[in-house]
Amino acid sequence: MTAVLVIEDDDRIRLALLLALEEEGYAARGAATAEEGLRLQRSEPADYVLVDLMLPGLNGFECIRQLRRDDDVPIVVVSARDDTHDIVAALEAGADDYVVKPVAIKELSARLRALRRRARALTAPVPVQVIGDLEISPDAGEVRRAGQPVPLTRTEFRLLCELAEHAGRVLSRQQLLQRVWGYDTGDERLVDVHVGRLRQKIEAEPGNPRHLVTLRGLGYKLQR
Amino acid sequence: MTAVLVIEDDDRIRLALLLALEEEGYAARGAATAEEGLRLQRSEPADYVLVDLMLPGLNGFECIRQLRRDDDVPIVVVSARDDTHDIVAALEAGADDYVVKPVAIKELSARLRALRRRARALTAPVPVQVIGDLEISPDAGEVRRAGQPVPLTRTEFRLLCELAEHAGRVLSRQQLLQRVWGYDTGDERLVDVHVGRLRQKIEAEPGNPRHLVTLRGLGYKLQR
DNA sequence: GGTTGTATGACAGTCCTGTGACAAATCCAC
DNA sequence: GTGGATTTGTCACAGGACTGTCATACAACC
């Protein structure tokens, strides 16, 4: 699941950002100071970092520089100051983007996706997601179970990727129909059938699934 | 020298941007319409494209989509509209950044540098690729299998290089058509045919390929 | 026990891919 | 230029894989 770290000293703003990001499907965590943020990112790296510029103690620019020393993580500055000098300095320090508060969460989310798209097109290693004994590589079009390739059909593969991207979160049949099949409406049984086929291939005991579990009345969830 | 293409219909703004960019050390060229911009980018690719959204004829969003189809070039939208909906739509269409007019040239330049820093990672071309018992030398225009030169036609060679450059990743038929043939659109069977011919030459058992594999519904992939 | 929701096997239609044939385009030596 | 060889793109088709629907059986909840 895509993780975002928010470094922002104002409690209200930080919380609002965290909530909004969760709503968008990210796993968001916060830090109130640069020091805490750096520590967090080192111990448990997020996929993106959002950082405010005006922080107590170590300021935002320095925070960016230090982040950048260790890590290629995309950094987005979220600042109240709409000032060319600050923008240039932040980008020079190593930030990838700079947005001005207040920022629409949809815009922020779109900017994160744009960064990911750019980062993904370029990174040599193919990203792999690990769920239990499953390794899922969306870019390689490949799934391995205990190291062995599992032959999946396109639909099964897309379904699994969609579930993996939001691992640990329930996805309703409607959401899956929408995201995997692009159907605005349709027979929800269809999802059941494909989930069943997927289980045959990725679960040790398809009748008693450990990863791809049903949440009665809600939908399906992929858990570690 | 870094080249920038500016697609903007307003002559005054375009000229101002071009001048400012030259001042910043870029080789800048302009286009007044999306169509002209696309043509220019195809014939003489720039390293960055700046594009306005409100263009006569083909609009900015469509322009971005078409640029993105051919090319991984970083695209920055320079628009007068500061509207979340537009921003999200432009980024979704494939833009990398979105700035609102009037924009400080220093900021724009810093954003371009940030994009370049991010893009650098992968642009280093590999001299020789080894995939299984295949050695691919894009520069030398040569492919060896188990040390023996393999005679490939130009198209086969380009196809193989494209696949090798993204070894381990699925490339869709559309992507291959665009990158190898430069087609915006075309018959995807064409790819099949050439993949088939390529397999005859580089695979021990063309009917049961080990490297150049089909991912049904997704495309082709070259794996080690 | 009744009701609701979920799993699964069978099946027909559809979609996808590989391939051989062929004509147009290109190359190349003379 | 000419003629032949090579390469390229198009097409049609066959076989196989995949998908979605349905009916039925099963499980969970009240």
Side-chain angles (χ1 to χ4, degrees), chain A:
Chain A
M1 190 164 176
T2 312
V4 182
L5 170 62
V6 179
I7 307 178
E8 157 75 73
D9 63 322
D10 184 320
D11 292 345
R12 292 236 315 277
I13 297 179
R14 189 176 65 247
L15 257 147
L17 268 174
L18 291 177
L19 278 174
L21 286 166
E22 295 272 359
E23 195 75 18
E24 284 287 303
Y26 295 98
R29 47 177 173 268
T33 65
E35 289 83 352
E36 190 191 342
L38 289 168
R39 202 165 45 241
L40 248 173
Q41 180 63 10
R42 209 160 307 166
S43 63
E44 202 179 344
D47 303 297
Y48 302 99
V49 176
L50 306 186
V51 57
D52 187 18
L53 283 186
M54 277 173 292
L55 295 169
L58 208 62
N59 75 32
F61 299 108
E62 197 46 44
C63 179
I64 293 170
R65 255 176 238 112
Q66 299 215 10
L67 274 170
R68 203 30 101 232
R69 270 216 306 253
D70 303 344
D71 206 338
D72 255 349
V73 65
I75 300 172
V76 178
V77 172
V78 181
S79 166
R81 300 185 45 143
D82 188 0
D83 175 75
T84 299
H85 190 263
D86 279 356
I87 298 176
V88 171
L91 294 172
E92 290 299 328
D96 291 290
D97 204 344
Y98 187 114
V99 297
V100 176
K101 281 189 274 196
V103 58
I105 182 66
K106 294 287 179 199
E107 174 182 343
L108 191 52
S109 179
R111 285 184 180 271
L112 292 182
R113 279 197 300 278
L115 276 174
R116 172 164 72 172
R117 197 181 50 226
R118 172 106 348 239
R120 175 179 285 186
L122 302 172
T123 47
V126 180
V128 176
Q129 192 158 13
V130 179
I131 310 273
D133 60 349
L134 286 179
E135 296 167 37
I136 304 163
S137 322
D139 287 357
E142 192 182 55
V143 173
R144 286 168 179 274
R145 181 167 147 231
Q148 291 300 309
V150 181
L152 295 182
T153 71
R154 177 179 44 174
T155 309
E156 288 159 4
F157 182 69
R158 287 197 187 144
L159 178 57
L160 182 57
C161 286
E162 193 58 43
L163 286 162
E165 197 183 331
H166 304 275
R169 199 170 274 252
V170 200
L171 292 175
S172 71
R173 290 177 174 73
Q174 277 305 325
Q175 284 177 309
L176 290 169
L177 275 177
Q178 167 85 47
R179 299 185 190 182
V180 177
W181 282 268
Y183 291 0
D184 280 347
T185 172
D187 188 359
E188 300 192 342
R189 294 303 112 233
L190 176 57
V191 181
D192 298 15
V193 172
H194 283 274
V195 165
R197 288 171 182 159
L198 194 47
R199 279 182 180 146
Q200 295 295 328
K201 298 186 182 179
I202 64 170
E203 290 282 357
E205 295 176 71
N208 180 24
R210 292 182 48 199
H211 296 129
L212 210 179
V213 297
T214 305
L215 294 169
R216 196 183 168 81
L218 297 175
Y220 296 97
K221 164 174 92 161
L222 192 66
Q223 63 189 2
R224 289 164 211 287

Side-chain angles (χ1 to χ4, degrees), chain A residues 96-97 110-111 113-115 117-119, chain B residues 48-49 64 68 72-77 90-98 111 115 118:
Chain A
D96 291 290
D97 204 344
R111 285 184 180 271
R113 279 197 300 278
L115 276 174
R117 197 181 50 226
R118 172 106 348 239
Chain B
Y48 302 99
V49 176
I64 293 170
R68 196 40 92 233
D72 264 345
V73 65
I75 300 173
V76 177
V77 172
L91 294 172
E92 289 298 329
D96 290 290
D97 204 344
Y98 188 113
R111 285 183 180 272
L115 277 173
R118 187 72 27 226

